[in-house]
């Protein structure tokens, strides 16, 4: 069974960089698939942040592209998100998920999510 | 890119059927057969219910079905049950990235 688990600070100061890691178990990232980050501000809908292929190719939401970096560490079977220059608008539950993007296109496995609050 | 358009809320009584719409453009919903639907209960992660417009993952009841016509996709839930009360999100491939709908709150009366 594929499982994903987000980890990282729950509180980040404005203008600093948000850093999260998603540990994957039950599947080797290097075997394939895309891996993505999605966020959900309190009481609002889902917003795709970006995705990365196991080879390292990345795709970012155009509205966040200038501030986002997603990387993968196949040796640790995990991938990471960095979002720079955060503001209160970046406060959200951040989810990592596996993206099936060959012939189909959908997120089939999700982490439980982690709340990140941007506040001084 | 703008979010796909979903009704904010729908409701139905147990045993009835409800349909949730998801409207996009020819660049997303209308251009690809890659629409997926997710169910989200409060405080929980989204769960995949439908993919590729009308396919159901293993374990999802056949009460859930999906379809598409032009730029609008639909999720139909038949034989409503209390546990179906949740938020539902559509998602479409939009040419190199996924685009989510704003979400629909389903209330089972």
């Amino acid at each position: 069974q594929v499982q994903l688990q987000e980890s990282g600070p729950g509180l980040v100061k404005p203008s600093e960089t948000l850093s999260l890691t998603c540990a994957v178990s039950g599947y080797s990232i290097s075997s394939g698939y895309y891996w993505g980050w999605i966020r959900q501000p309190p009481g609002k809908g889902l917003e795709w942040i970006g995705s990365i292929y196991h080879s390292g190719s990345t795709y970012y939401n155009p509205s966040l592209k200038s501030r986002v970096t997603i990387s993968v560490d196949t040796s640790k079977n995990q991938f990471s998100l960095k979002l720079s220059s955060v503001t209160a608008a970046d406060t959200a539950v951040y989810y990592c998920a596996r993206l099936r993007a060959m012939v189909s296109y959908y997120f089939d496995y999700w982490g439980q999510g982690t709340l990140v609050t941007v506040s001084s | 890119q703008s979010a796909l358009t979903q009704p904010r809320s729908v409701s139905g009584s147990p045993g009835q059927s409800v349909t949730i719409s998801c409207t996009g453009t020819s660049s997303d919903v209308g251009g690809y057969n890659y629409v997926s639907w997710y169910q989200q209960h409060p405080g929980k992660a989204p769960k995949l219910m439908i993919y590729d417009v009308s396919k159901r993952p293993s374990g999802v009841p056949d009460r859930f079905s999906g379809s598409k016509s032009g730029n609008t996709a639909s999720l139909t839930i038949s034989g409503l049950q209390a546990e179906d009360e949740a938020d539902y999100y559509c998602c479409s491939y939009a040419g190199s990235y996924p685009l989510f709908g704003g979400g629909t709150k389903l209330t089972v009366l």
Side-chain angles (χ1 to χ4, degrees):
Chain A
Q1 177 74 342
V2 180
Q3 293 185 311
L4 296 90
Q5 178 67 58
E6 306 89 350
S7 63
L11 181 64
V12 181
K13 290 182 168 56
S15 80
E16 295 190 344
T17 296
L18 178 159
S19 296
L20 295 174
T21 296
C22 181
V24 179
S25 59
Y27 186 84
S28 173
I29 285 182
S30 58
S31 295
Y33 286 105
Y34 285 81
W35 305 86
W37 288 97
I38 301 102
R39 70 180 182 178
Q40 184 173 36
K44 296 188 178 181
L46 301 169
E47 179 184 33
W48 172 72
I49 299 170
S51 299
I52 188 166
Y53 194 49
H54 68 93
S55 63
S57 299
T58 53
Y59 302 87
Y60 299 137
N61 185 321
S63 67
L64 299 170
K65 186 174 183 177
S66 63
R67 298 194 292 130
V68 175
T69 302
I70 297 176
S71 59
V72 64
D73 186 338
T74 54
S75 67
K76 294 183 178 179
N77 214 39
Q78 64 185 35
F79 60 105
S80 300
L81 168 70
K82 290 188 185 300
L83 181 65
S84 64
S85 305
V86 297
T87 69
D90 295 309
T91 293
V93 174
Y94 285 76
Y95 295 100
C96 58
R98 189 175 80 169
L99 172 61
R100 187 140 188 170
M102 299 294 186
V103 183
S104 294
Y105 201 89
Y106 56 91
F107 295 97
D108 56 357
Y109 291 98
W110 294 66
Q112 65 185 27
T114 187
L115 174 63
V116 179
T117 301
V118 179
S119 175
S120 55
Chain B
Q1 74 285 23
S2 300
L4 304 174
T5 300
Q6 297 181 234
R8 285 224 168 176
S9 64
V10 297
S11 62
S13 299
Q16 289 186 333
S17 294
V18 295
T19 296
I20 300 172
S21 62
C22 171
T23 301
T25 69
S26 58
S27 297
D28 37 69
V29 175
Y32 310 92
N33 288 323
Y34 294 148
V35 176
S36 51
W37 290 88
Y38 303 86
Q39 176 191 66
Q40 186 180 37
H41 287 110
K44 300 296 186 180
K47 175 187 175 184
L48 177 68
M49 303 302 284
I50 294 287
Y51 68 97
D52 294 352
V53 176
S54 60
K55 297 177 182 177
R56 267 189 319 276
S58 174
V60 172
D62 59 7
R63 302 185 295 104
F64 291 84
S65 62
S67 62
K68 189 187 85 166
S69 178
N71 295 338
T72 298
S74 298
L75 173 70
T76 298
I77 309 170
S78 58
L80 267 180
Q81 298 182 4
E83 59 262 37
D84 299 333
E85 184 162 296
D87 293 326
Y88 290 85
Y89 293 91
C90 64
C91 179
S92 175
Y93 179 66
S96 81
Y97 62 88
L99 191 57
F100 284 97
T104 298
K105 180 175 180 57
L106 168 61
T107 300
V108 181
L109 302 170

